[in-house]
Amino acid sequence: FLYLGLIKSPIHFLNTCFATYLMSVYYYLPFMILPIYSALEKFDITLIEASLDLGANRLQTLKRVLIPLTLNAIRVGILLVFIPSFGEFIIPEFMGGDKSVYVGSAISFFMAGEQTATIAMVFAVVSLLFLLPTIFLIDQSLAKLGKKLAGGSL
């Protein structure tokens, strides 16, 4: 950008929260896209045509046909992203410069010391006790959303 004359001074990108978020999205985006792509690839396109022929507009077709039938892939994608990102420690350390403390960063910090390894294990168990009910609640709320969008037919 400097060479093209679009900016006058270098952009300070590393050691910012924006860099951490951008890298996390870049890293975890395939885990979200691939299950959805797989479900859409197998999706019967005649269902969309039938919905449009029966008088639904595109938004109604998306809301009442496409999303409910691909919601399982969306749920899988959310879980494939949420679970590993919960314990992420490399991306915040390299891109964020340890400015923010994440669960994985705290556990890896405590595991590095000989005296604090038990604290790391306790912290890991406590975070797991938080993670499991959160996953259950996310999964249940997505299932309820699917039933609501489909009109209770799922």
Side-chain angles (χ1 to χ4, degrees):
F1 288 135
L2 281 172
Y3 180 73
L4 295 173
L6 297 174
I7 58 173
K8 300 206 184 294
S9 63
I11 299 172
H12 297 288
F13 184 70
L14 285 178
N15 298 332
T16 63
C17 288
F18 177 73
T20 303
Y21 298 146
L22 184 66
M23 188 63 192
S24 294
V25 168
Y26 174 78
Y27 182 75
Y28 289 112
L29 194 61
F31 293 108
M32 187 70 193
I33 290 176
L34 287 175
I36 296 172
Y37 174 76
S38 175
L40 289 175
E41 188 178 40
K42 298 174 191 172
F43 190 78
D44 187 10
I45 198 74
T46 58
L47 294 173
I48 293 176
E49 292 172 0
S51 173
L52 294 173
D53 287 344
L54 290 171
N57 61 26
R58 290 180 182 209
L59 183 62
Q60 289 171 331
T61 300
L62 177 73
K63 187 175 135 183
R64 303 282 283 180
V65 177
L66 188 63
I67 291 178
L69 291 176
T70 58
L71 192 64
N72 283 337
I74 295 169
R75 288 165 67 182
V76 167
I78 288 173
L79 293 178
L80 281 175
V81 169
F82 181 72
I83 293 171
S85 66
F86 187 78
E88 183 65 56
F89 65 95
I90 294 294
I91 293 173
E93 186 173 325
F94 286 160
M95 299 302 287
D98 287 338
K99 287 186 177 183
S100 300
V101 178
Y102 295 86
V103 174
S105 303
I107 292 171
S108 68
F109 173 75
F110 287 127
M111 282 301 286
E114 293 178 16
Q115 309 294 336
T116 58
T118 55
I119 296 172
M121 287 184 257
V122 169
F123 195 75
V125 169
V126 169
S127 64
L128 183 67
L129 291 175
F130 172 77
L131 180 66
L132 291 176
T134 305
I135 291 170
F136 180 74
L137 288 174
I138 289 171
D139 193 48
Q140 292 300 314
S141 63
L142 287 172
K144 286 180 185 177
L145 176 67
K147 287 181 182 179
K148 180 181 175 188
L149 287 176
S153 62
L154 285 179

